[in-house]
Amino acid sequence: MKEKLEKILSEAKDAIANQADDISALDAVRVKYLGKKGELTALLRGMGALSPEERPVIGALANKVREEIDAFLTEKAEELKTKALSSKLAEEKIDVTIPGDDFEFGAHHPLSEVRREMTDIFVSMGFDVVDGPEVELDYYNFQALNIPENHPARDTQDTFYITDKILLRSQTSPVQVRTMEKQKPPIRIISPGAVYRSDTLDSTHSPVFHQFEGLVVDKGITMGALKDMLETFAKKMFGAETRLRFRPHHFPFTEPSAEVDVSCFVCGGKGCRLCKGEGWIEILGAGMVHPNVLRGCDIDPDVYSGFAFGMGIERIAMTRLGIDDIRLFYENDKRFLKQF
Ligand code: PHE
């Protein structure tokens, strides 16, 4: 029996050292030798056949064998755990020196960029930026701007109607009215945004484009103040040499009204390809807010006066960046967009 016990011990040791290369294999070894149906237990069942003198001796030996196997198992388990940890660490190691993947960066759309530049200039002069709805009431887009039903001016802005009373705004000027209804003077706002006209898409027209509206209302606002403000804007936008030219015009919501040109920033006014030989480039419409418009918003035209101006962001961007086809803005061709 003693020999059998020693054999079990040496076999178990051998199995632990050579057969158990992971935790579950080690467990299997434990079960095989120390488990309820294991070899050691089986052997001890035969102890009843021993003489009373032998029994304690073999019993003590069996205990020693169990303890020894147990100690080996524990030691091996530690060893396996350490090994598992270090291989996991090796597997998850990150090489921070590997060069990164090429990442293609986007860019701001030229229209957004130009709009931001224009906005910055006016914000630096104390203007607030105001938004308005693109789906608008006929009232704000036309009537409140002194363009009653059947007024010929409606024909110049081929409008998308949704119902008789609801339309896609054809200009940003309705934001003037919405602002003056809510806010009493002094008012100093700009409102950039999309506008819609039922134009056929070609190199200079698009059914959706962007306007940039400005409105100042206070006591003692004059046409001179309008000229001064637009000149400051033009010089910042197109260069310090820029001059302005005001041509008489008509808008129903301003009186007097003007169309405003800037001197060509490429040729300085001599005439070139950009200004088509004119020396001047038309950039905006402007004027003194019509008394009817003020009155409609409960602002007394005998006390207050104001000026308004509106320009196309596409036109400014095309002029500034030398782009000759408006469609390029909407095609999302990365080769185009990347250039700015
Ligand atoms: N809303 C006018 C247009 O679209 C532009 C404009 C705005 C003119 C403000 C004068 C004052 O043609």
Side-chain angles (χ1 to χ4, degrees), residues 157 170-171 173 176 197 211 213 251 253-254 285-287 308-310:
Q157 302 189 358
S170 61
Q171 49 186 348
S173 306
Q176 288 185 32
R197 290 184 195 179
Q211 282 191 340
E213 189 94 6
F251 296 108
F253 36 89
T254 48
F309 56 87

Side-chain angles (χ1 to χ4, degrees), residues 118 122 212 226 230-231 233-234 238 244-247 249 251 258-262 281-287 308-312 315-316:
M118 294 165 71
F122 282 102
F212 192 102
L226 168 65
L230 289 180
E231 214 164 271
F233 164 72
F238 298 105
L244 288 187
R245 181 172 77 172
F246 282 63
R247 284 178 289 106
H249 197 72
F251 296 108
E259 273 189 330
V260 182
D261 305 334
V262 290
I281 301 165
E282 184 199 320
I283 58 158
L284 59 86
F309 56 87
M311 48 194 143
R315 178 177 274 259
I316 304 273

Side-chain angles (χ1 to χ4, degrees), residues 133-143 149 154 157-170 174 178 196:
E134 290 172 24
V135 178
E136 186 52 286
L137 295 173
D138 179 289
Y139 175 78
Y140 288 109
N141 196 78
F142 289 127
Q143 284 176 53
E149 254 171 76
R154 291 191 176 218
Q157 302 189 358
D158 244 335
T159 310
F160 288 112
Y161 277 89
I162 294 169
T163 69
D164 276 0
K165 294 206 164 75
I166 301 171
L167 44 75
L168 294 181
R169 69 177 179 189
S170 61
R178 285 181 173 277
Y196 302 83

Side-chain angles (χ1 to χ4, degrees), residues 186-208:
I187 293 170
R188 214 176 237 244
I189 57 142
I190 48 167
S191 62
V195 299
Y196 302 83
R197 290 184 195 179
S198 168
D199 283 327
T200 312
L201 186 66
D202 62 23
S203 65
T204 52
H205 295 87
S206 159
V208 50

Side-chain angles (χ1 to χ4, degrees), residues 284-334:
L284 59 86
M288 301 305 292
V289 182
H290 197 290
N292 286 352
V293 177
L294 293 174
R295 225 172 270 128
C297 299
D298 250 351
I299 294 175
D300 184 352
D302 292 329
V303 180
Y304 294 104
S305 56
F307 64 70
F309 56 87
M311 48 194 143
I313 301 179
E314 275 81 351
R315 178 177 274 259
I316 304 273
M318 287 167 83
T319 307
R320 259 293 295 274
L321 306 171
I323 295 163
D324 57 8
D325 194 325
I326 200 171
R327 288 169 291 199
L328 289 165
F329 287 131
Y330 315 116
E331 284 166 356
N332 288 330
D333 185 333
K334 282 205 278 187

Side-chain angles (χ1 to χ4, degrees), residues 208-227:
V208 50
F209 61 103
H210 301 82
Q211 282 191 340
F212 192 102
E213 189 94 6
L215 172 72
V216 173
V217 183
D218 203 351
K219 287 178 182 158
I221 297 295
T222 61
M223 191 93 181
L226 168 65
K227 288 185 78 171

